[in-house]
Amino acid sequence: MENSGIVISSCISQEDDSRYNTKQRTSISQELLLEDEMRRKLKFFFMNPCEKFWARGRKPWKLVIQILKIAMVTIQLVVFGLSNQMVVAFKEENTVAFKHLFLKGYTDRMDDTYAVYTQMDVYDQIFFAIQQYVQLQNISVGNHAYENRGAKQSTMAICQQFYRRGSIYPGNDTFDIDPEIETDCFYVDPMQPFDIGTSEEMKLNFTLDFHRLLTIELRFKLKAINLQTVRHHELPDCYDFTLTIIFDNEAHSGRIKISLDNDIAIRECKDWHVSGSIQKNTHYMMIFDAFVILTCLTSLILCTRSVVKGIQLQREYVNFFLLHFKKEVSITDQMAFVNGWYILIIVSDMLTIVGSVLKMEIQAKFRSLNMVSECLFSLINGDDMFATFAKMQQKSYLVWLFSRIYLYSFISLFIYMVLSLFIALITDTYETIKHYQQDGFPETELHTFMSECKDLPNSGRYRLEEETRKSLFCCCKSS
């Protein structure tokens, strides 16, 4: 009986050993299976769109949307630039025409050096502008008209600003002045006859005290219609021009500078009729802009989804590596899961959406593509910087602020950062490649771990893994 007990106990120990060995082999095989599954998952994550299509038949929707977005945004910018090129050209040509109409003896020049030096010239300039304004519809070759205010038409305002009191005697080195500024205005109705007499009569009706005089402003409004858009299958827009002729005598230097400023407002015409099948393309462009916004929004969602999936896989890989290898993943390997291109695409999509919304709100700011390219290229090379900043007038604080921020950002980014970055990248890349050619390209733990998976994208192993999960899910659901 004792021998039989010993035999029984030895049999039990052998069964325990076999079970332990079986469990150990099972756990090892499961661990190897998990490692192989993780390698395959990582390798699939870092595949390009074509390889993912071969591996699981996934359509490269992000790639297609990016190509479509590039084409649509390019078309959007080109059409927007061509449309607003006519707006800018119409405004600039009208401004030049107004200078020739209302400034006596004006000639085209590159700099703003138009000025007068005698009292008689000041009176001549003022009354010449008044006379031209009254006779505008008889002398202008454009379709300019006065602004209607009910049954009446808008008037021209002639305002002078001067010191309240001023007695100046340079010969005796004495003066007595009250720096408080006063304004005096009178108005000219274009429908009432305005008699232009001799210079002495002008002085009697409109007298200037040049010792106290600061500025003279002639303000009036004109309207016009841009008919050139008809040739481009667009309905003409109506334009409101607010003109201001300024006589600047603030320096009291004996030189009164004269400038003409033209502010423009664009609106749809109230009543129009054009023969033929012309349609208002603005509505179609707004629909196209809406499609651009929708495409960018889709791209934003897909890229955000990819970034989130990358972060989830990063956490899974970090936990797997810590559990099975008792090691922490380096920061470099963790950052490999965050695709920098997706981050840039997300930022680009957000800016494109904002820009498209703003584009739907504005109608003018751009010149021809050639002129814009020349301007930006000149700024990068440091040419015409002062002239560019000096030409920007503070008509609107928002426009002035946006232009300043844009120019400062552009110049700082491309001159101080991008060019220096290109030089640094070229130098560093050259040294790195030279070093790697001598010692070989190093591999990170992540790439070393993935390199053990030899399955090709078209091997079917990636598709089989997905089908196996689906079949297991179906079996669990049926049971």
Side-chain angles (χ1 to χ4, degrees):
M1 293 295 293
E2 294 178 356
N3 293 334
S4 62
I6 295 174
V7 172
I8 292 173
S9 61
S10 62
C11 292
I12 293 175
S13 61
Q14 290 178 359
E15 288 180 359
D16 291 339
D17 291 338
S18 63
R19 289 176 182 176
Y20 175 77
N21 292 332
T22 302
K23 289 182 179 180
Q24 187 175 13
R25 287 194 298 270
T26 304
S27 62
I28 294 175
S29 62
Q30 288 179 351
E31 185 175 354
L32 293 176
L33 183 62
L34 290 175
E35 290 184 11
D36 186 62
E37 183 180 356
M38 177 57 67
R39 290 190 181 95
R40 192 174 293 112
K41 185 184 296 185
L42 293 173
K43 191 171 183 179
F44 178 79
F45 177 79
F46 288 101
M47 286 182 181
N48 59 49
C50 295
E51 291 176 341
K52 288 183 178 180
F53 176 75
W54 294 335
R56 292 185 181 177
R58 291 180 53 180
K59 307 298 188 298
W61 294 116
K62 288 195 294 293
L63 179 62
V64 173
I65 288 178
Q66 298 307 315
I67 296 175
L68 179 63
K69 186 180 67 175
I70 292 174
M72 294 180 69
V73 172
T74 303
I75 295 173
Q76 184 187 39
L77 290 176
V78 170
V79 174
F80 180 70
L82 293 176
S83 176
N84 289 280
Q85 178 184 353
M86 294 184 292
V87 174
V88 174
F90 187 72
K91 175 187 176 182
E92 291 183 346
E93 292 179 3
N94 275 274
T95 302
V96 175
F98 293 146
K99 289 181 179 179
H100 283 274
L101 282 173
F102 300 107
L103 302 181
K104 186 177 181 180
Y106 178 82
T107 56
D108 294 326
R109 61 191 74 191
M110 295 299 296
D111 52 351
D112 296 331
T113 58
Y114 189 70
V116 291
Y117 302 89
T118 65
Q119 297 181 11
M120 184 60 67
D121 289 338
V122 175
Y123 284 111
D124 288 342
Q125 287 288 341
I126 293 174
F127 287 98
F128 176 80
I130 295 174
Q131 185 179 15
Q132 294 292 97
Y133 175 72
V134 173
Q135 301 177 356
L136 178 66
Q137 293 182 330
N138 296 328
I139 61 176
S140 176
V141 297
N143 55 358
H144 302 117
Y146 307 112
E147 182 185 30
N148 293 325
R149 293 182 176 178
K152 297 182 179 181
Q153 293 181 334
S154 62
T155 59
M156 172 188 282
I158 298 95
C159 300
Q160 57 171 322
Q161 292 183 342
F162 48 87
Y163 294 127
R164 176 177 294 177
R165 188 185 71 254
S167 299
I168 303 173
Y169 305 98
N172 299 329
D173 297 332
T174 59
F175 65 90
D176 179 15
I177 190 168
D178 183 356
E180 189 70 22
I181 298 176
E182 293 184 348
T183 303
D184 184 22
C185 300
F186 73 94
Y187 302 90
V188 176
D189 190 349
M191 300 307 296
Q192 293 181 357
F194 185 80
D195 186 20
I196 302 296
T198 63
S199 300
E200 295 298 327
E201 292 175 349
M202 293 178 187
K203 291 183 181 179
L204 292 176
N205 295 330
F206 182 66
T207 305
L208 298 174
D209 186 355
F210 289 94
H211 293 289
R212 296 187 297 151
L213 180 64
L214 292 175
T215 60
I216 305 172
E217 291 187 359
L218 282 68
R219 295 192 301 269
F220 55 97
K221 291 186 177 181
L222 297 176
K223 300 178 71 70
I225 299 177
N226 187 4
L227 296 177
Q228 63 177 334
T229 57
V230 177
R231 302 194 310 271
H232 300 274
H233 305 287
E234 294 185 13
L235 287 179
D237 289 317
C238 291
Y239 288 71
D240 294 342
F241 299 109
T242 302
L243 299 171
T244 305
I245 302 176
I246 302 174
F247 295 76
D248 187 2
N249 190 41
E250 292 184 355
H252 288 87
S253 60
R255 180 175 183 267
I256 298 181
K257 295 179 290 185
I258 304 177
S259 62
L260 185 145
D261 188 21
N262 180 21
D263 287 331
I264 183 174
I266 307 173
R267 58 174 54 91
E268 291 187 0
C269 299
K270 298 178 181 178
D271 188 14
W272 57 269
H273 176 72
V274 180
S275 300
S277 58
I278 186 173
Q279 298 291 333
K280 184 66 174 176
N281 287 350
T282 304
H283 304 295
Y284 297 110
M285 286 307 304
M286 292 187 67
I287 296 175
F288 183 76
D289 293 337
F291 275 111
V292 172
I293 294 175
L294 182 61
T295 303
C296 292
L297 186 61
T298 305
S299 172
L300 177 65
I301 294 174
L302 291 179
C303 291
T304 304
R305 174 174 169 267
S306 298
V307 171
V308 173
K309 279 190 172 182
I311 295 175
Q312 292 176 349
L313 184 59
Q314 177 202 66
R315 294 178 178 176
E316 184 179 353
Y317 173 71
V318 169
N319 296 331
F320 177 85
F321 220 71
L322 185 63
L323 179 63
H324 290 78
F325 298 98
K326 309 300 181 184
K327 294 176 61 177
E328 292 185 356
V329 180
S330 63
I331 300 297
T332 304
D333 288 344
Q334 293 185 29
M335 293 303 298
F337 292 89
V338 181
N339 195 323
W341 288 110
Y342 287 158
I343 303 297
L344 291 178
I345 291 174
I346 291 173
V347 175
S348 174
D349 290 336
M350 295 174 62
L351 295 177
T352 305
I353 291 173
V354 174
S356 298
V357 173
L358 293 177
K359 174 184 174 295
M360 298 169 71
E361 296 293 331
I362 63 178
Q363 294 294 329
K365 276 184 188 177
F366 286 99
R367 295 172 179 261
S368 63
L369 179 62
N370 185 38
M371 188 173 297
V372 172
S373 302
E374 291 177 357
C375 179
L376 296 180
F377 185 77
S378 299
L379 287 176
I380 292 179
N381 289 276
D383 302 334
D384 297 331
M385 277 193 185
F386 179 78
T388 302
F389 282 97
K391 286 290 184 181
M392 293 187 303
Q393 300 179 6
Q394 192 175 354
K395 300 177 183 177
S396 172
Y397 179 76
L398 182 61
V399 175
W400 179 85
L401 181 62
F402 175 78
S403 61
R404 292 279 170 165
I405 294 176
Y406 178 80
L407 284 177
Y408 280 126
S409 302
F410 179 81
I411 293 172
S412 302
L413 181 64
F414 278 90
I415 294 181
Y416 305 133
M417 294 179 61
V418 174
L419 296 182
S420 301
L421 181 62
F422 283 164
I423 297 174
L425 285 176
I426 293 173
T427 305
D428 185 67
T429 304
Y430 172 76
E431 294 294 334
T432 303
I433 293 177
K434 182 179 178 180
H435 177 72
Y436 285 167
Q437 284 180 345
Q438 296 176 355
D439 302 334
F441 287 86
E443 286 190 353
T444 62
E445 292 183 351
L446 175 63
H447 291 86
T448 303
F449 181 75
M450 288 192 305
S451 62
E452 297 184 16
C453 180
K454 305 298 182 181
D455 297 332
L456 297 176
N458 55 359
S459 62
R461 297 294 300 274
Y462 304 93
R463 191 186 301 270
L464 179 63
E465 177 186 356
E466 191 177 45
E467 292 176 354
T468 304
R469 290 181 179 177
K470 291 182 179 179
S471 61
L472 288 175
F473 177 76
C474 294
C475 293
C476 293
K477 186 177 180 180
S478 59
S479 62

